[in-house]
Amino acid sequence: MTLQTLRAALAEAEAGEYAVGAFNVSSIDQAIAVLDAAEAEHSPVIVQSIAGMSAYDDESRWWTRLRGLVEEYTAVPVVLHLDHGRTYDDCVRAIDHGFTSVMIDASRSTDTDEPASFEENVAATRRVVDTAAPAGVSVEGELGTIGGAEAGVSGIVEEIVFADPDQAVEFVAQTGVDALAVAVGTSHGSVKFTDEAGGQRLRLELIAEIKSRLPETFLVLHGSSSVPAEAVSVINAHGGVVRPSYGISPAQKTRGVAAGIRKINQGTDSHLAWSAELRRFLQENPAVVEPSEQLRPAIGGFRAMVAQRMREFGSSGRA
């Protein structure tokens, strides 16, 4: 078995000065696409799921099968990660299902969805660390508010509240997290920035400053998808209605890695690639009703996008 904790995977990334891609999956087909890409690229990978975000009614069965699938891929190191756990219970359920890493996103109040106070964030995060650490599970926290619409949080559109370096140091000292997601100019969702300059707004100097002050903590970039115009164009040409926008450019992400980012979350880009290929196939083959024929191009588009990002993050060939 090549399952790793997040701390182990990111320690290797730190030594090699690359970032490990963390790819959101909501079905077994998508998980296979990510893991096949990792094998083809000889890349370490983080497979991540969001509580409540899957194609299945029974989340326990989904998570059990996801853990079993990950165990089958013995040629590459894999982290099984809970992304954006909103509550302590989310994180405990993931630990109980064999996840090797959990993120507790206590940057927003679960009651009001307004930004939580620093003290509230620390207390909720520390509680998860106290439970996860004895189980050998890594913990990721979040500081600041990453903009855009968070996957799995209907209707929530946030403004960016940048991470404060002084608070980052204090947050890690009080919580003991292994990794820290920092708000440094990215935005969640498929509609990010409305102007091209938005994709160049990554605060590289802020990343470098936080990293210099927290050399033993692994920094995470959320909301980092590039929103490829070609995928959006294909979707819209085949019946979709996705508003064109600008994400974080691949070149900016490369600079972010050089500044100290070691984990890069990506969901939107591979979802766009999946949707583009699925819509294209269905419109060009309207008589096909066999699901395997419909899914094959979608899986292929998803896998190709993940492989491309692995190369850009510098993790290809590192397994």
Side-chain angles (χ1 to χ4, degrees):
M1 187 192 305
T2 56
L3 270 168
Q4 284 189 314
T5 64
L6 187 65
R7 170 162 284 281
L10 299 189
E12 292 174 8
E14 185 71 48
E17 299 183 336
Y18 60 89
V20 183
F23 301 96
N24 289 99
V25 299
S26 54
S27 75
I28 287 293
D29 300 306
Q30 292 179 352
I32 288 172
V34 170
L35 292 161
D36 282 354
E39 280 196 336
E41 292 295 318
H42 304 289
S43 172
V45 68
I46 300 162
V47 175
Q48 57 185 31
S49 174
I50 298 176
M53 291 288 291
S54 79
Y56 315 107
D57 292 334
D58 189 328
E59 185 162 79
S60 179
R61 286 181 177 175
W62 153 234
W63 281 359
T64 297
R65 282 157 179 74
L66 183 58
R67 163 77 189 215
L69 176 69
V70 165
E71 290 177 348
E72 294 177 12
Y73 284 76
T74 58
V76 290
V78 184
V79 177
L80 181 56
H81 179 72
L82 176 71
D83 187 28
H84 284 286
R86 292 300 310 280
T87 67
Y88 172 81
D89 288 344
D90 286 342
C91 296
V92 170
R93 285 190 297 110
I95 293 168
D96 289 344
H97 281 81
F99 283 54
T100 58
S101 174
V102 296
M103 181 205 180
I104 175 63
D105 181 1
S107 64
R108 294 195 317 273
S109 167
T110 56
D111 295 327
T112 66
D113 280 316
E114 295 297 320
S117 70
F118 179 78
E119 292 74 19
E120 289 169 332
N121 192 349
V122 165
T125 303
R126 182 72 227 184
R127 186 182 180 203
V128 172
V129 170
D130 287 344
T131 298
V137 173
S138 301
V139 177
E140 174 186 334
E142 180 170 321
L143 189 63
T145 303
I146 292 154
E150 178 58 64
V153 184
S154 177
I156 302 304
V157 179
E158 303 169 330
E159 296 297 324
I160 299 172
V161 178
F162 290 103
D164 177 271
D166 291 333
Q167 281 197 337
V169 171
E170 187 64 22
F171 185 84
V172 170
Q174 291 192 34
T175 63
V177 292
D178 301 286
L180 183 64
V182 286
V184 290
T186 54
S187 177
H188 287 119
S190 61
V191 177
K192 297 184 182 292
F193 304 105
T194 56
D195 63 310
E196 189 171 5
Q200 309 302 319
R201 288 179 181 148
L202 204 59
R203 296 276 293 273
L204 299 170
E205 74 291 344
L206 181 56
I207 297 170
E209 181 179 357
I210 294 172
K211 183 60 185 176
S212 70
R213 298 179 65 176
L214 290 170
E216 302 301 318
T217 303
F218 306 110
L219 301 186
V220 182
L221 194 64
H222 282 222
S224 66
S225 288
S226 300
V227 193
E230 181 181 357
V232 173
S233 178
V234 170
I235 290 170
N236 291 345
H238 294 83
V241 187
V242 177
R243 181 155 62 97
S245 65
Y246 298 92
I248 301 299
S249 70
Q252 278 273 289
K253 282 179 275 192
T254 299
R255 295 186 189 105
V257 173
I261 294 293
R262 293 294 167 251
K263 174 177 180 273
I264 301 181
N265 283 24
Q266 193 238 262
T268 297
D269 285 354
S270 45
H271 297 161
L272 287 169
W274 171 287
S275 298
E277 294 308 316
L278 180 59
R279 284 186 174 275
R280 190 206 311 265
F281 180 86
L282 290 173
Q283 192 168 90
E284 293 177 355
N285 302 272
V288 174
V289 297
E290 168 54 47
S292 65
E293 292 187 53
Q294 298 170 356
L295 283 170
R296 193 170 292 113
I299 293 170
F302 199 106
R303 181 176 60 242
M305 179 58 69
V306 169
Q308 178 181 334
R309 292 293 178 252
M310 288 172 169
R311 293 190 289 271
E312 293 168 355
F313 301 162
S315 66
S316 290
R318 304 284 190 162

